[in-house]
Amino acid sequence: MSIKKKGAKGSLWASATRMTVSLLDFAVYAYLARVLPLDIFGFLGVGLLVVEFVNALVNAGINQNLIQRNKWESNYVNSTFSLILLTCLGFSLLIALVAGPLAYFLYSPLTGWILFALAGIPILGGIEIVFKAKLQRDFRNKKLSQIYVVASLCSSCLTLVLAFIGWGVWSIIVGKYVNSLLKITLLHTSSGVKIKLGIDRQHILELWQFIKPMVGAAVLTFFNDKTTNMLTAAVLGPASFAILNVAKKANRIVSDSTISPINSMMVPMFSRIGDSSAISGLYIRLVTVSTFIVIPIFMGLAAIADPFVTIAFGDKFIESAEYITIMSFTIFPAILSWYLPNLLVAKGKTNVAFKLTLFTLGANILVSVSTIWFGISTMLISVVAVNFLLLPLRFKIVNEYVDVDLRKLLTSISPQYICALLMFVSVYLVKAELRSYIGNEIVLLMVLISVGGLLYPLFNFIIFKKHTIKTLYEVKSIFLTHKT
């Protein structure tokens, strides 16, 4: 099977996995959002945010390094695993002995206890990295998917049961430990990797040279994604943070189920392709196919945000609907450049990937800090605008190392953009009319989803028939044809 087909098949499995895991996680999140007071839910979110940051540091570049190496060497793997374990232990101690007490005395006692309880999660998350990398390297994505789904299903069910009987925020903490322990057990068994603790200084130097810019990029990516959350928590308080977090959760589910799986396959796919023109062509094809599938989902979510939020989270989060609609428009510039850092990593340009992320982060932080004082909506609109403005500059940086024709890319994806916008406007207008006739939010949501699902392909075939047929053949070529 060709590299493109292996990567596409891996993306399908990863997408199915992330979608399943995201839906299970969303069920837990939505239930807790309903039963917990706004401020308590906000404090929980702040605690989870700190642990998410540590996990981003731990995961930065290590599995990419193991995937892209020419050979899987046991001694190198042992050194990597040992280093991860020591690093995670250090981070866990920092959370328990520094972050927890600081949060307890300076922010809220509950957040401090939550951080203390979550301190062991980075250790468990780090242990699974090597086993996961082996399965990804061997394109055993089906097995990886099964493991993640089983672990998520078990932990989500346990969390919901504990939340139902009154455990509150502690139910999700117990669920996270169960999820991590299940994944470690299943990944270790499936990967067949045998570990012996020990560190070779030469191996660590090689690993550090690779991941050094990636650690920086991980920090920047985290802050790029979470700056608005952190500013909201600091300036407007835990209740406003909880409302914004709900909006971001909805958008993240869509991206985790669609864009992220393809992005995760970029390194193993592109690292095995030497021809620069072939890389450029494949990049444009993947973005075109991604756009055809992803853009209408985001625009559909933007159009149906208010009934969706009411059904999933309750009336107390209705303000989140406006934020979901605004943030969904970030997808237009984002999908064009989402894969660029991993494209650079695959070609060994990790320092450039770091600089690219730094460039984007600097602009987003500057805009967010300047506009949070005017409200969350103003801040989000400003962030969307700056992402449009930065797009040509990001491609200019990338094209110094990997030639990607932006003009050709824009020509290839413009029909999907136009049709998605037409669908959004149509569904939004239909929603305003149907509210007078349909009082049940669930029925209204189902009708609107059906209208959007009908209009998007209809607009594509009526306005851009030739391009749509060509794109559908591309989807079939990449994802559905398995001949070598």
Side-chain angles (χ1 to χ4, degrees):
M1 189 181 292
S2 68
I3 296 297
K4 182 185 76 172
K5 297 296 180 1
K6 286 182 178 179
K9 188 176 180 182
S11 295
L12 284 175
W13 277 111
S15 183
T17 303
R18 291 201 184 220
M19 184 176 295
T20 304
V21 170
S22 294
L23 288 174
L24 291 169
D25 182 52
F26 181 79
V28 172
Y29 191 87
Y31 183 74
L32 288 174
R34 282 181 168 274
V35 300
L36 294 176
L38 266 178
D39 56 343
I40 301 298
F41 191 65
F43 290 139
L44 172 63
V46 172
L48 293 173
L49 194 65
V50 173
V51 175
E52 185 179 346
F53 173 63
V54 173
N55 284 336
L57 289 177
V58 170
N59 283 277
I62 294 177
N63 71 324
Q64 288 98 326
N65 175 259
L66 292 171
I67 289 169
Q68 63 86 44
R69 290 186 97 243
N70 290 330
K71 294 181 180 180
W72 182 272
E73 298 174 347
S74 296
N75 289 336
Y76 186 85
V77 172
N78 292 336
S79 294
T80 301
F81 182 89
S82 302
L83 178 65
I84 294 171
L85 196 59
L86 287 174
T87 304
C88 291
L89 179 60
F91 280 129
S92 292
L93 289 173
L94 280 174
I95 292 175
L97 302 179
V98 180
L102 285 175
Y104 184 92
F105 290 108
L106 300 180
Y107 194 69
S108 81
L110 178 58
T111 304
W113 283 115
I114 289 171
L115 285 171
F116 185 79
L118 289 169
I121 294 296
I123 297 176
L124 299 179
I127 291 173
E128 71 179 63
I129 292 175
V130 169
F131 308 133
K132 178 182 176 181
K134 183 66 169 75
L135 292 176
Q136 287 179 315
R137 180 185 174 91
D138 296 339
F139 289 100
R140 294 177 62 194
N141 298 285
K142 182 177 180 180
K143 174 58 69 174
L144 190 62
S145 299
Q146 292 169 345
I147 291 170
Y148 272 69
V149 169
V150 168
S152 183
L153 181 62
C154 294
S155 61
S156 296
C157 290
L158 176 61
T159 302
L160 287 172
V161 170
L162 294 176
F164 184 75
I165 63 177
W167 280 46
V169 296
W170 309 110
S171 60
I172 197 167
I173 293 171
V174 173
K176 285 191 173 295
Y177 276 101
V178 170
N179 181 274
S180 294
L181 289 170
L182 281 173
K183 283 193 292 185
I184 289 171
T185 302
L186 296 173
L187 285 169
H188 177 257
T189 304
S190 301
S191 66
V193 176
K194 306 297 181 183
I195 297 294
K196 291 183 179 179
L197 296 179
I199 295 178
D200 185 311
R201 189 167 178 270
Q202 288 301 117
H203 293 158
I204 300 308
L205 288 174
E206 177 187 337
L207 179 63
W208 177 243
Q209 287 300 314
F210 183 89
I211 70 170
K212 181 169 62 174
M214 308 251 336
V215 171
V219 173
L220 297 179
T221 300
F222 178 85
F223 282 105
N224 185 44
D225 187 40
K226 304 297 183 181
T227 295
T228 52
N229 300 61
M230 292 185 291
L231 284 172
T232 301
V235 176
L236 303 178
S240 295
F241 170 81
I243 292 172
L244 177 60
N245 225 23
V246 161
K248 287 211 166 188
K249 186 71 173 180
N251 282 90
R252 181 173 289 278
I253 286 175
V254 178
S255 62
D256 282 351
S257 303
T258 53
I259 296 175
S260 296
I262 300 175
N263 203 11
S264 68
M265 295 305 301
M266 282 291 172
V267 172
M269 286 174 68
F270 285 115
S271 62
R272 290 164 169 79
I273 300 176
D275 186 6
S276 180
S277 61
I279 290 176
S280 176
L282 181 56
Y283 185 89
I284 292 173
R285 293 169 69 191
L286 285 173
V287 172
T288 302
V289 169
S290 300
T291 304
F292 185 77
I293 298 168
V294 173
I295 285 285
I297 300 176
F298 272 92
M299 286 296 94
L301 179 61
I304 64 170
D306 41 342
F308 170 76
V309 168
T310 302
I311 294 167
F313 300 102
D315 291 331
K316 65 182 178 182
F317 285 98
I318 191 60
E319 194 178 345
S320 299
E322 179 186 351
Y323 305 153
I324 289 174
T325 300
I326 296 170
M327 289 188 296
S328 294
F329 281 87
T330 309
I331 191 62
F332 285 100
I335 197 168
L336 295 177
S337 57
W338 215 314
Y339 309 135
L340 290 179
N342 270 356
L343 174 61
L344 291 168
V345 170
K347 304 318 295 178
K349 306 297 181 181
T350 51
N351 282 304
V352 184
F354 172 75
K355 292 176 183 177
L356 185 67
T357 310
L358 178 62
F359 171 68
T360 306
L361 172 67
N364 283 338
I365 288 181
L366 180 63
V367 169
S368 299
V369 170
S370 302
T371 56
I372 182 62
W373 315 101
F374 302 99
I376 296 176
S377 295
T378 302
M379 176 180 64
L380 295 177
I381 291 170
S382 302
V383 170
V384 172
V386 80
N387 274 276
F388 274 101
L389 294 174
L390 291 177
L391 190 63
L393 296 175
R394 296 186 75 184
F395 272 90
K396 184 177 180 180
I397 294 171
V398 172
N399 281 338
E400 293 180 11
Y401 305 92
V402 182
D403 184 30
V404 179
D405 191 334
L406 179 58
R407 182 175 297 179
K408 184 177 179 181
L409 179 59
L410 290 173
T411 302
S412 184
I413 54 87
S414 57
Q416 292 94 293
Y417 277 26
I418 294 170
C419 292
L421 281 172
L422 289 173
M423 181 202 69
F424 166 77
V425 172
S426 301
V427 173
Y428 199 86
L429 294 174
V430 168
K431 178 179 66 177
E433 293 298 323
L434 288 180
R435 282 200 179 277
S436 304
Y437 304 98
I438 303 176
N440 187 292
E441 293 289 308
I442 296 177
V443 174
L444 176 62
L445 183 65
M446 293 299 101
V447 171
L448 293 175
I449 291 173
S450 300
V451 170
L454 176 66
L455 289 180
Y456 179 71
L458 196 63
F459 286 141
N460 271 283
F461 278 104
I462 291 176
I463 306 173
F464 303 104
K465 182 179 179 180
K466 185 177 179 180
H467 177 84
T468 301
I469 292 173
K470 180 181 177 182
T471 304
L472 288 174
Y473 274 117
E474 195 64 55
V475 172
K476 180 181 178 181
S477 169
I478 293 178
F479 292 111
L480 302 178
T481 305
H482 303 295
K483 295 178 180 180
T484 56

